[in-house]
Amino acid sequence: MLDSEVPQEGNVTLGGHRKALYARGADGKMHIVQSTGWEVEEIVTRQAVDDLNRLADEARQRVAAGQTSALEYHMHKARMDVPLLAQVTGLWQWRIRRHFRPDLFAHLSPSLLARYADAMGLTVAQLTKVE
Amino acid sequence: MMEFQHSQASHCESGVMSTMLRHQGLPISEPMAFGLSSAMSFAYLPIVKINGLPLVSYRMPPKFIIKGLQKPLGLKMRFETFRNPAAGTRRLDELLAAGEVVGMQTSVFWLPYMPEDLRFHFNAHNVLAFGRDTASGDYQLSDPVFEAPVSCPGEALQKARFAKGVLAPKGLLYYATGKPSQPDWAIVIPQAIKKTTRIMLDAPLPIIGVRGIRRLANAVERLAGQNDPARAKMFIGQVVRMQEEIGTGGGGFRFIYASFLQEAADLLGRPRLNELADALVEVGDEWREFALSAARMIRDREPLVPAKLADQLRRIADHEQTFFRDLRRAA
């Protein structure tokens, strides 16, 4: 990649930040060039973020329909999946899946709620409702 | 004590080490830190899942650069991990109070200064702490992939250092305990290059090195048979994201290594290494073309044909194989 070919496409996922890339100058030497981003990166990052948002949205609708608990919504919102939430909280995956049942979730102990809230960087009050 | 100087780098771990070494009085470029520790690699790890998709890595695992620079530079690094987050924070404060510049492994998700869209649960990010703001108590961090130093509240930093999951940092702190010395380039550079060629060509596992690229090509090709285009797009998107977005890409790492080879050519007086650097820039460009094709297929700008991507990967594997064989002869 020549330094003139370094993409400057204003990738929005970088949030205005510029990345350093190595590219070849006219003298043939590699050096650092700052890049405002590449559309390819924007596409794959948006793809991942959109997929996570879709999961959170679907969970939100199911919470409203009484089919799942706020826990599932917040898990997706925190960009986690069940295996990761299990690792962070130290709970079994099957137990977490059980807590997706609204009736069970409504009766969780304060300490268990605190464990979930802490894992996702929320307060217990935030965890138990869906905005 | 020398005043701390931030500088932007292309990759976090090589950036942290080059900044730290410069602070210790040994100016070493980021590409030199990357090349000298033999950090360039390829690994396709189908069993390590991130959000249900396999891990693809274009460099050696976390800590490889930090550890790998000790021997060639006669440097002593100390590593500390903690079971208790509060103890980890206390120790960081102690070291900063003693005037140390401290490297840390962190999650990306919990760092508030990161752009929102990039905050995934990726646990192997590296940053340097060089002080605390007297007014707010926030930590002053040198995050190598950022243009300028950033600040971070203590609570967020603790959470980032003690994130759990794949590659959990466990509060890892690292700092130099001895002064690095100017190495004998004629010895350490060829050794480092040979090590990289061994990893890429002779690794006993078929998921590492050039064979790993071919293994990934097969996995991409199989996506066609699964008849689940949405999942296929997530899979190839993940490969490209790990290539280009996390740390710095497959193409990016090839460009850093090319820069290292150019430096090596000058230090050793071997122009052949400059020719090899040019060849590696071409391989890096092929990785970028692969990323471009993948992105076009994800966005439906061209039909989703996994076999085409697999072919591109196999061509890259062939070219890397030729390149590393030539490099081995030249080292």
Side-chain angles (χ1 to χ4, degrees):
Chain A
M1 184 168 60
L2 292 174
D3 51 10
S4 56
E5 294 163 350
V6 170
Q8 306 288 355
E9 293 166 1
N11 175 356
V12 296
T13 63
L14 291 177
H17 154 74
R18 288 191 301 170
K19 288 174 74 150
L21 298 177
Y22 286 84
R24 195 155 46 172
D27 58 353
K29 292 278 178 210
M30 302 296 288
H31 64 131
I32 277 201
V33 180
Q34 284 174 321
S35 161
T36 60
W38 191 21
E39 194 196 6
V40 165
E41 291 179 4
E42 183 174 291
I43 289 172
V44 294
T45 304
R46 286 283 0 144
Q47 180 197 25
V49 171
D50 288 348
D51 193 58
L52 291 161
N53 290 344
R54 175 184 61 82
L55 291 170
D57 257 5
E58 286 172 7
R60 192 206 330 253
Q61 284 163 25
R62 276 181 286 119
V63 173
Q67 293 163 341
T68 191
S69 69
L71 177 64
E72 190 187 354
Y73 165 76
H74 286 292
M75 177 186 81
H76 291 306
K77 193 105 202 331
R79 301 186 175 175
M80 294 181 173
D81 55 8
V82 175
L84 180 58
L85 186 56
Q87 281 168 332
V88 177
T89 54
L91 298 168
W92 294 99
Q93 294 189 30
W94 61 263
R95 244 187 120 193
I96 294 171
R97 284 202 193 87
R98 245 169 72 83
H99 296 158
F100 289 170
R101 277 177 51 185
D103 53 330
L104 282 168
F105 184 69
H107 293 105
L108 285 191
S109 69
S111 67
L112 210 44
L113 285 174
R115 210 151 142 191
Y116 279 128
D118 185 51
M120 296 181 274
L122 301 169
T123 63
V124 171
Q126 286 173 316
L127 174 70
T128 47
K129 50 174 203 280
V130 166
E131 79 271 17
Chain B
M1 193 87 212
M2 194 174 148
E3 181 147 2
F4 181 78
Q5 251 192 345
H6 171 81
S7 72
Q8 191 178 18
S10 187
H11 169 55
C12 63
E13 194 173 329
S14 46
V16 156
M17 285 314 287
S18 125
T19 301
M20 193 185 265
L21 288 164
R22 186 157 18 84
H23 188 72
Q24 301 282 343
L26 182 68
I28 286 224
S29 69
E30 180 195 11
M32 185 50 78
F34 187 76
L36 207 54
S37 57
S38 311
M40 189 170 67
S41 179
F42 181 89
Y44 164 57
L45 306 170
I47 14 154
V48 183
K49 301 272 184 185
I50 294 187
N51 281 320
L53 293 164
L55 184 73
V56 181
S57 183
Y58 300 82
R59 44 111 174 174
M60 295 302 279
K63 283 195 280 195
F64 197 85
I65 297 176
I66 311 165
K67 289 194 168 155
L69 286 173
Q70 295 182 110
K71 209 172 129 198
L73 301 180
L75 175 72
K76 264 279 179 243
M77 295 295 295
R78 202 175 142 78
F79 296 87
E80 295 178 20
T81 56
F82 305 85
R83 231 178 260 174
N84 177 343
T89 296
R90 257 200 314 281
R91 182 69 181 133
L92 171 63
D93 291 342
E94 228 171 78
L95 288 166
L96 288 176
E100 290 286 348
V101 166
V102 187
M104 296 176 290
Q105 187 182 329
T106 66
S107 146
V108 172
F109 183 81
W110 299 106
L111 293 174
Y113 61 82
M114 280 275 168
E116 180 65 28
D117 283 341
L118 300 185
R119 290 175 61 187
F120 297 104
H121 291 279
F122 172 69
N123 282 338
H125 189 52
N126 285 274
V127 298
L128 278 171
F130 62 93
R132 292 187 76 168
D133 186 81
T134 35
S136 61
D138 288 358
Y139 289 86
Q140 293 172 304
L141 304 183
S142 165
D143 186 323
V145 301
F146 278 73
E147 289 169 76
V150 289
S151 65
C152 180
E155 208 177 308
L157 183 62
Q158 178 164 307
K159 206 136 176 108
R161 290 176 58 207
F162 287 89
K164 293 186 181 136
V166 179
L167 302 172
K170 301 190 178 95
L172 177 69
L173 295 174
Y174 49 91
Y175 51 94
T177 56
K179 286 273 168 218
S181 53
Q182 184 80 25
D184 183 346
W185 300 116
I187 294 171
V188 295
I189 290 177
Q191 270 175 354
I193 291 178
K194 281 196 187 109
K195 188 167 173 192
T196 292
T197 63
R198 273 201 303 276
I199 295 164
M200 289 302 293
L201 297 172
D202 313 326
L205 288 170
I207 53 174
I208 308 288
V210 170
R211 284 203 290 165
I213 304 175
R214 297 210 173 96
R215 181 66 71 108
L216 173 65
N218 294 342
V220 168
E221 190 147 49
R222 276 197 303 275
L223 294 171
Q226 290 170 359
N227 230 339
D228 183 349
R231 196 189 135 72
K233 284 180 185 173
M234 286 307 290
F235 185 102
I236 57 176
Q238 163 112 332
V239 172
V240 173
R241 201 156 51 254
M242 293 191 161
Q243 177 184 326
E244 293 301 331
E245 194 67 86
I246 297 175
T248 186
F253 284 129
R254 269 67 190 156
F255 298 141
I256 298 178
Y257 202 79
S259 183
F260 158 70
L261 289 178
Q262 288 185 342
E263 259 191 70
D266 287 351
L267 286 165
L268 305 181
R270 277 200 229 169
R272 171 77 183 127
L273 293 177
N274 276 323
E275 293 166 28
L276 286 163
D278 289 346
L280 188 58
V281 169
E282 279 169 36
V283 176
D285 285 338
E286 288 173 7
W287 278 110
R288 291 176 68 83
E289 280 160 33
F290 162 77
L292 186 62
S293 309
R296 294 176 62 84
M297 289 184 195
I298 289 166
R299 275 286 173 92
D300 293 319
R301 287 181 199 160
E302 60 179 90
L304 178 65
V305 185
K308 186 192 160 197
L309 296 176
D311 280 347
Q312 276 178 297
L313 285 172
R314 290 193 185 106
R315 253 196 317 275
I316 292 173
D318 290 344
H319 290 164
E320 291 215 348
Q321 186 159 18
T322 310
F323 167 79
F324 285 108
R325 281 183 181 155
D326 290 347
L327 183 61
R328 174 177 278 170
R329 270 193 293 274

